[in-house]
Amino acid sequence: QGDLVRKLKDDKAPDVDVSKAVAELKARKRTLEAKELALQPKDDIVDRPKMEDTLKRRFFYDQAFAIYGGVSGLYDFGPVGCALKNNILQIWRQHFIQEEQILEIDCTMLTPEPVLKTSGHVDKFADYMVKDVKNGECFRADHLLKAHLQKLMSDKKCAAEKKAEMDSVITQMDNYTQEELADLFVKYNVKSPVTGNDLSPPISFNLMFQTSIGPGGNMPGYLRPETAQGIFLNFKRLLEFNQGKMPFAAAQIGNSFRNEISPRSGLIRVREFTMAEIEHFVDPNEKKHPKFQNVADLDILLYSSKAQTSGQSASIMRLGDAVEQGVINNSVLGYFIGRIYLYLTKVGISKDKLRFRQHMDNEMAHYACDCWDAETKTSYGWIEIVGCADRSCFDLLCHARATKVPLVAEKALKEPISFSVYFVFVTLTASHKTVNVVQFEPNKGAIGKAYKKDAKLAMEYLAICDECYITEQEKLLSENGEFAIETEGKTFTLTKDMVSVKRYQKTLHVEEVVPNVIEPSFGIGRIMYSIFEHTFHVREGDEQRTYFSFPATVSPYKCSVLPLSQNQEFMPFVKELSEALTRNGVSHKVDDSSGSIGRRYARTDEIGVAFGITIDFDTVNKTPHTATLRDRDSMRQIRAEVTELPTIIRDLANGATTWAEVETKYPIFEGQETSKKENTEE
């Protein structure tokens, strides 16, 4: 099927034939992945119901407004989930913002409509939905049609020809127009899966939450669907803060909102979610990262566009080779892929269940040079958790055109000129170069006559247009005799007598550059869910004992402090350790409740506490005073002095040492040597 797609493209076949072949290829790929998931070892499959029961019971997170019946797609994080999320974000800041010296900003979530109109979200950020005509319940049209056809196909009475026909419809689901979807709903008699009622025809539904800003309701706005736009709008200020130097990067962590028609799969598809996004601004002619060699030797599972269209599987590849061979477009994009890989594996994503998939031509935005998604294998299949795209200069150009504010960086020119003097070779540096300029030449009289006082708006807009846009409009002017522009809510139709295109050469001493943008975009909720699945375990020999093997760096609590019993002799040591752990910046949980020590270990394991200190009678009876330290995953214990334990745990929690190294320095704990009785007799 991949060969067929390539042949159709090479032969310049009609778009409809190419789209159909690509859709068939994607369907076959999904079928293959489903079979691979079904064939994976039993030990590799997470017990999702048991995991979700643990997450809910220990209040990692739960549906928001639960006592009012809950609202789908909205979740509240409990104490443990909140701590885990904060730790994931803290490491993100250390790994990216601090190590890469990225500029962090925090922008408003409420966004005026013109901003999102310019970015394309108002017109294009939509899905088709249908409504139950009686109770108004909404469904996403393509998902509902697919589920309905799959149900019909599962009927043993369904003829082979009918199955093939419906399978073809499912294959092309992504390519149907609104009218075609409506016809298919009628043809296959699709009803509401809940009530059996009739459904309305599919309508386009914008996924943004709309509101109005101010009491008069005159300024429409939206809750932001992504955090990136705030960074683009502040580009000029950020460049000034960075003293005009390129390249540089800016980042933002915050909530975004998408009014999903059918939220599902827990944290994977929700209506409010936390994003962490980076916009790395780089000269389009200098896409080489100085630190790429730091990640070049990483071996990463890559699923290239070529492999997908050829029907091949993902393969492990050295990152340096992927850039050299052109699989990854440039070393800046390659560098961030490497850094994303290191971050994800640091916070608990399994290396064996992580891959980077390249977008195929038909799914990549028209302005993007290259795009890769970090995907994790879960019980839901492969899900995207991070996108890493080379967005070229699209966003900055759009906002510059709409606001008439040039969003450019300046670069001093240094062009070497060589000549010989007295047989000595000399190189001088000239700070200029000659460039070709393309710009609109407006006929002020004609535009003024047609648009009166609004003519100034049209001419200001024409003055800031870039070469690519001018060339596109020149083509329309030549073919149709006119083209239209839109600025500040007004539309202007410009004819040949109103505007022409001027080309000339100009000598520059400073070059203006519209930066390209490399954008890594992290879905924190999806990363959290993947970590849950990749670290969830059941104790061997005890199906009721579950635990999360979070890396110590992200564990909600680094340590628990457990007195062996409620004996008051233990309490001074509990207090001493708790205060010392706090001074060392180690989050911890004291559990002095009744119940066996084994039961309390199980409770702390269940919420992923990495280590546990137990204060026993040896702590009280012997000097120097010692206590045991237990590792959650291996359940092995060592014994160390009480005064040393906070430092040991701090070093374990921040990755400065490992449990294996700790075991070599301290004696393994085999059992208590004294008891309460012995202490009394003394």
Side-chain angles (χ1 to χ4, degrees):
Q1 188 66 23
D3 292 338
L4 174 61
V5 170
R6 281 197 303 278
K7 186 175 186 305
L8 288 170
K9 287 182 177 180
D10 291 342
D11 294 345
K12 294 185 169 37
D15 288 345
V16 65
D17 293 341
V18 175
S19 297
K20 185 175 180 180
V22 169
E24 173 64 23
L25 176 65
K26 287 166 77 175
R28 292 186 184 185
K29 190 176 73 172
R30 286 194 293 267
T31 303
L32 179 62
E33 287 181 352
K35 287 180 179 177
E36 286 176 349
L37 287 169
L39 293 171
Q40 64 185 338
K42 189 178 179 183
D43 294 341
D44 199 36
I45 301 172
V46 71
D47 187 338
R48 196 201 303 162
K50 185 169 283 189
M51 182 193 77
E52 289 179 342
D53 173 68
T54 303
L55 291 171
K56 187 171 183 178
R57 185 163 39 80
R58 299 310 305 268
F59 196 17
F60 278 81
Y61 66 90
D62 198 6
Q63 194 169 37
F65 316 109
I67 63 173
Y68 278 88
V71 177
S72 60
L74 298 176
Y75 291 92
D76 293 332
F77 288 97
V80 187
C82 194
L84 177 69
K85 180 181 175 182
N86 287 338
N87 290 341
I88 289 169
L89 290 174
Q90 182 183 359
I91 293 171
W92 192 89
R93 280 194 168 96
Q94 291 169 352
H95 187 84
F96 290 105
I97 292 175
Q98 292 177 18
E99 289 188 35
E100 305 296 337
Q101 296 188 354
I102 292 173
L103 310 177
E104 184 177 5
I105 64 173
D106 186 3
C107 301
T108 175
M109 289 181 271
L110 199 56
T111 310
E113 185 178 58
V115 173
L116 295 167
K117 180 79 172 173
T118 299
S119 67
H121 286 87
V122 171
D123 297 324
K124 298 176 182 176
F125 200 67
D127 284 329
Y128 293 121
M129 75 169 184
V130 291
K131 279 185 180 181
D132 184 314
V133 294
K134 290 187 178 177
N135 66 16
E137 187 174 1
C138 298
F139 305 93
R140 184 164 156 177
D142 55 344
H143 290 172
L144 182 57
L145 178 59
K146 181 179 177 181
H148 180 74
L149 294 179
Q150 287 173 335
K151 184 179 179 181
L152 293 178
M153 289 164 66
S154 65
D155 189 340
K156 293 179 181 179
K157 297 179 181 178
C158 184
E161 300 84 23
K162 201 70 177 172
K163 277 186 181 179
E165 176 192 298
M166 289 188 281
D167 191 47
S168 176
V169 171
I170 292 172
T171 298
Q172 299 180 63
M173 193 68 73
D174 295 339
N175 299 321
Y176 289 123
T177 64
Q178 185 174 351
E179 293 75 16
E180 288 170 335
L181 274 174
D183 292 342
L184 289 166
F185 268 74
V186 172
K187 178 177 180 179
Y188 292 104
N189 195 30
V190 185
K191 305 289 184 182
S192 165
V194 179
T195 63
N197 295 334
D198 289 338
L199 296 167
S200 69
I203 58 172
S204 181
F205 176 73
N206 192 290
L207 298 177
M208 292 191 294
F209 286 95
Q210 188 170 16
T211 184
S212 59
I213 302 170
N218 299 323
M219 185 185 290
Y222 298 90
L223 292 176
R224 66 184 179 194
E226 62 180 21
T227 61
Q229 298 306 317
I231 299 175
F232 297 135
L233 299 183
N234 283 289
F235 168 77
K236 197 171 181 180
R237 299 298 307 277
L238 289 163
L239 182 64
E240 288 171 4
F241 183 86
N242 204 48
Q243 299 172 319
K245 289 186 287 189
M246 290 263 296
F248 76 93
Q252 182 170 196
I253 298 171
N255 279 17
S256 297
F257 306 83
R258 297 183 184 180
N259 197 7
E260 294 285 352
I261 298 167
S262 307
R264 62 188 189 282
S265 309
L267 296 179
I268 293 174
R269 190 175 292 279
V270 293
R271 288 176 166 142
E272 180 180 354
F273 50 94
T274 302
M275 299 181 76
E277 290 192 294
I278 297 168
E279 307 299 332
H280 181 85
F281 299 99
V282 61
D283 186 329
N285 299 314
E286 297 177 9
K287 287 186 182 176
K288 291 183 179 178
H289 202 290
K291 291 163 64 177
F292 178 66
Q293 288 308 313
N294 295 357
V295 299
D297 290 329
L298 288 174
D299 292 321
I300 298 179
L301 187 64
L302 298 179
Y303 198 13
S304 68
S305 173
K306 184 178 179 182
Q308 293 171 71
T309 54
S310 302
Q312 298 171 354
S313 299
S315 60
I316 294 174
M317 196 171 188
R318 180 178 169 272
L319 198 54
D321 295 338
V323 172
E324 285 172 22
Q325 295 171 25
V327 176
I328 296 172
N329 186 272
N330 57 76
S331 70
V332 181
L333 189 60
Y335 178 73
F336 277 105
I337 287 173
R339 292 290 291 161
I340 291 166
Y341 172 84
L342 291 172
Y343 168 73
L344 292 174
T345 53
K346 185 189 292 186
V347 296
I349 298 296
S350 170
K351 292 179 182 180
D352 300 329
K353 297 179 181 179
L354 172 64
R355 74 181 184 191
F356 284 80
R357 187 186 70 82
Q358 187 176 31
H359 282 206
M360 295 194 290
D361 291 343
N362 67 304
E363 60 180 323
M364 193 146 50
H366 65 89
Y367 52 79
C369 301
D370 197 5
C371 185
W372 292 77
D373 290 339
E375 297 182 333
T376 52
K377 188 163 74 170
T378 69
S379 58
Y380 291 106
W382 288 96
I383 62 168
E384 173 198 348
I385 59 172
V386 184
C388 191
D390 184 336
R391 295 173 63 96
S392 69
C393 57
F394 175 78
D395 301 279
L396 292 179
L397 283 177
C398 283
H399 290 300
R401 195 179 297 142
T403 60
K404 307 180 188 66
V405 176
L407 300 176
V408 296
E410 290 187 345
K411 183 172 72 170
L413 293 171
K414 292 182 180 178
E415 182 180 270
I417 301 174
S418 302
F419 61 95
S420 298
V421 179
Y422 298 113
F423 303 103
V424 179
F425 189 79
V426 180
T427 300
L428 297 181
T429 300
S431 56
H432 69 273
K433 80 170 183 179
T434 303
V435 296
N436 295 317
V437 178
V438 181
Q439 66 183 37
F440 281 123
E441 187 77 7
N443 182 336
K444 295 180 181 178
I447 295 176
K449 185 177 179 181
Y451 293 108
K452 307 293 189 290
K453 63 180 181 180
D454 290 334
K456 186 181 176 184
L457 292 176
M459 286 187 282
E460 285 177 350
Y461 185 90
L462 293 173
I464 53 91
C465 292
D466 58 272
E467 181 180 348
C468 182
Y469 179 78
I470 292 171
T471 305
E472 289 175 2
Q473 303 313 308
E474 184 182 30
K475 187 179 178 183
L476 288 175
L477 200 61
S478 174
E479 293 174 355
N480 306 329
E482 63 181 35
F483 66 89
I485 61 171
E486 188 175 319
T487 179
E488 296 193 16
K490 298 180 185 296
T491 301
F492 300 87
T493 301
L494 302 175
T495 58
K496 286 183 177 181
D497 65 318
M498 295 180 184
V499 67
S500 59
V501 176
K502 182 180 177 183
R503 287 178 168 81
Y504 62 96
Q505 289 192 324
K506 183 179 179 181
T507 300
L508 298 177
H509 297 277
V510 175
E511 184 180 14
E512 286 189 344
V513 175
V514 181
N516 276 203
V517 178
I518 310 293
E519 181 191 70
S521 178
F522 298 73
I524 301 303
R526 290 185 171 208
I527 291 172
M528 282 184 71
Y529 182 80
S530 299
I531 293 171
F532 289 143
E533 282 213 7
H534 292 188
T535 61
F536 181 73
H537 305 282
V538 178
R539 290 284 184 206
E540 192 173 345
D542 189 347
E543 288 291 314
Q544 298 308 309
R545 287 189 65 177
T546 61
Y547 69 101
F548 289 98
S549 61
F550 303 128
T553 47
V554 298
S555 289
Y557 301 99
K558 311 305 178 192
C559 173
S560 58
V561 180
L562 310 172
L564 190 63
S565 68
Q566 293 182 311
N567 190 309
Q568 290 304 302
E569 292 179 279
F570 298 145
M571 293 307 119
F573 295 98
V574 171
K575 183 181 178 184
E576 178 188 342
L577 276 164
S578 181
E579 290 175 352
L581 288 166
T582 301
R583 284 195 301 273
N584 279 274
V586 177
S587 60
H588 60 283
K589 183 175 176 63
V590 175
D591 186 354
D592 56 3
S593 59
S594 59
S596 69
I597 192 69
R599 186 181 294 275
R600 283 182 285 155
Y601 281 151
R603 279 205 298 260
T604 58
D605 288 351
E606 204 169 39
I607 59 172
V609 179
F611 306 102
I613 297 173
T614 305
I615 299 156
D616 57 16
F617 287 105
D618 282 358
T619 309
V620 177
N621 297 336
K622 291 189 171 187
T623 53
H625 299 294
T626 62
T628 67
L629 179 63
R630 173 184 179 269
D631 173 57
R632 173 201 59 215
D633 296 346
S634 66
M635 297 191 294
R636 290 166 64 87
Q637 299 184 56
I638 57 101
R639 191 158 201 112
E641 290 187 25
V642 167
T643 53
E644 289 184 84
L645 285 170
T647 307
I648 296 170
I649 296 167
R650 182 195 66 198
D651 291 344
L652 283 165
N654 63 26
T657 189
T658 65
W659 180 257
E661 291 170 340
V662 169
E663 283 196 355
T664 63
K665 296 177 183 176
Y666 298 93
I668 299 296
F669 173 68
E670 303 292 349
Q672 264 190 127
E673 295 179 8
T674 65
S675 66
K676 183 179 179 182
K677 183 179 179 181
E678 291 172 21
N679 185 44
T680 304
E681 288 174 353
E682 289 175 6

